[in-house]
Amino acid sequence: MIMEKLDKCLACVRSKTDFMPDTALVLGSGLGEYADHVRISEIINYSEIEGFPVSTVAGHKGRFVFGWIQDVPVVIMQGRVHYYEGYPMTDIVLPVRMMGLLGAKKLILTNAAGGVNPDFRPGDLMMITDQIATAVPSPLIGENPDTLGPRFPDMSEIYSRRMQEIIRLEAENLGIGLREGVYVQFTGPAYETPAEVRMCRAWGGDAVGMSTACEAVAARHMGMEICGISCITNMAAGISDKPLSHREVEETADRVADQFSRLITAIVKKV
Ligand code: HPA
C-alpha cells in the first residue's frame, strides 16, 4: 500500500519533470521565502500530485521547487504537512521519501521550534545533533516497505556527523553563533504546557516542535544522509512568562531569514 501510493506520486512527478536532485531541502514555518534564492527549473504544487497530502494551514505554501543553489541541483519542499492536520504518519513522510526516490541522497531539514534550553534566545539557529520522536507515532509502524529500508533500522547516527562538522565550520566562517541540541517532536497543534516542557528538558531536549523528527526517521530508514537546522522562534511554554503565539513564530522567523539563508546556502554548497 505504502509503495503503491509512493510509486503513483513518483510517476506523476516524473511525468512533469526529469530533474535529478542531489540534495533535498525542507523549509519550515516562516522559512519558505528561502526558495527565492533558487535558480528555478520547475515548480510542482502538491495539489497537482494525485494522492499527495496537502497542507490545511493558512500561510503554509505547498509546492516542490526544483532548481539550483549555486551549482547544486536541489529539490525544495516549500511547506510541509504536519501530523496534527490529520493525515496518517505514512502520508506525512511520503514527500520526504519521494524526494529520496527522485534521487536526493542528502536531506536538509529545517523548522521553527520553541527553545527548551534556557540558554537559548528567540532568533537563535540550532543545529540538530539528535532527536526524540517517542511522543509521536513512528512513520515506520505497519508493513515494512523492504525496497526502502530494513524493518529495524539503526538510528545511532540519525544526523550525519560529517554534515554537522561542515555546518559548524560554515557557521563560524559566516560569523553566525550556532547553537546545537536535541530536537523533540510533539504532535501539536496546541503548544506544550509548562509541565510538558519541563519533561522535555528532563528527557534531554533543547528544542521542541511539531515536525521534522518523523521525517528524519523515514529518510534515515531509506539511507539518506541528514542534517537539520531549527530556528528558535520563541522560548517554549513556561521558560519565559510570555504566552505563545503563531504570530511570534512567524515574526522571529522573518527576523532571522537573512542569517538562515546564508547558512543554508553554505550548507547546500559544502555538504
Ligand atoms: N512548540 C512547538 N512547536 C513550535 C514552537 C513551540 O514552542 N515554536 C515553534 N514551533
Side-chain angles (χ1 to χ4, degrees):
M1 263 304 279
I2 290 171
M3 281 315 291
E4 263 172 42
K5 193 165 184 176
L6 201 48
D7 285 339
K8 252 198 190 146
C9 290
L10 188 66
C12 182
V13 170
R14 275 294 173 230
S15 73
K16 298 174 196 293
T17 179
D18 55 7
F19 193 92
M20 284 295 291
D22 172 71
T23 300
L25 170 62
V26 181
L27 295 174
S29 301
L31 306 168
E33 301 301 308
Y34 179 75
D36 295 344
H37 291 74
V38 178
R39 184 150 51 86
I40 294 175
S41 164
E42 270 117 2
I43 291 177
I44 299 176
N45 292 312
Y46 301 157
S47 58
E48 295 173 58
I49 308 168
E50 206 190 311
F52 208 79
V54 175
S55 177
T56 56
V57 182
H60 282 201
K61 273 204 182 115
R63 58 190 206 171
F64 284 114
V65 177
F66 294 88
W68 294 268
I69 295 173
Q70 310 274 352
D71 286 328
V72 182
V74 295
V75 52
I76 298 182
M77 282 175 65
Q78 200 176 19
R80 55 152 68 92
V81 285
H82 296 82
Y83 185 56
Y84 60 72
E85 294 180 68
Y87 292 100
M89 214 26 131
T90 45
D91 277 2
I92 301 298
V93 301
L94 182 144
V96 158
R97 281 174 160 164
M98 206 187 68
M99 294 194 295
L101 294 179
L102 284 169
K105 290 168 286 300
K106 290 170 269 187
L107 173 66
I108 303 168
L109 294 167
T110 72
N111 58 48
V116 172
N117 184 326
D119 294 339
F120 290 0
R121 292 289 166 265
D124 282 349
L125 296 178
M126 182 192 90
M127 176 175 77
I128 306 175
T129 55
D130 204 346
Q131 68 178 36
I132 296 172
T134 34
V136 294
S138 167
L140 307 184
I141 288 173
E143 152 216 14
N144 184 58
D146 294 323
T147 50
L148 291 183
R151 171 80 288 186
F152 301 108
D154 173 44
M155 292 285 148
S156 40
E157 192 183 329
I158 183 162
Y159 293 92
S160 158
R161 280 195 277 267
R162 184 190 73 85
M163 283 173 150
Q164 288 181 52
E165 203 43 56
I166 292 169
I167 295 170
R168 272 186 207 105
L169 272 173
E170 291 305 313
E172 200 179 322
N173 288 341
L174 292 168
I176 295 170
L178 188 69
R179 306 288 196 160
E180 297 188 13
V182 173
Y183 178 89
V184 183
Q185 180 176 0
F186 286 118
T187 65
Y191 291 114
E192 302 69 35
T193 63
E196 285 164 340
V197 171
R198 286 195 297 277
M199 176 184 77
C200 194
R201 189 74 189 133
W203 279 1
D206 296 287
V208 64
M210 306 176 193
S211 66
T212 302
C214 55
E215 296 164 344
V217 168
R220 195 70 199 120
H221 173 244
M222 64 190 292
M224 293 173 87
E225 193 182 7
I226 307 167
C227 64
I229 302 288
S230 290
C231 173
I232 305 298
T233 50
N234 57 281
M235 295 315 288
I239 303 273
S240 83
D241 295 337
K242 250 172 86 183
L244 274 58
S245 75
H246 188 56
R247 175 187 282 250
E248 185 192 4
V249 169
E250 287 178 325
E251 281 174 0
T252 310
D254 274 354
R255 180 158 63 78
V256 297
D258 185 52
Q259 242 189 19
F260 175 80
S261 294
R262 286 188 292 129
L263 183 61
I264 295 297
T265 298
I267 295 173
V268 171
K269 212 167 104 185
K270 293 289 167 63
V271 297

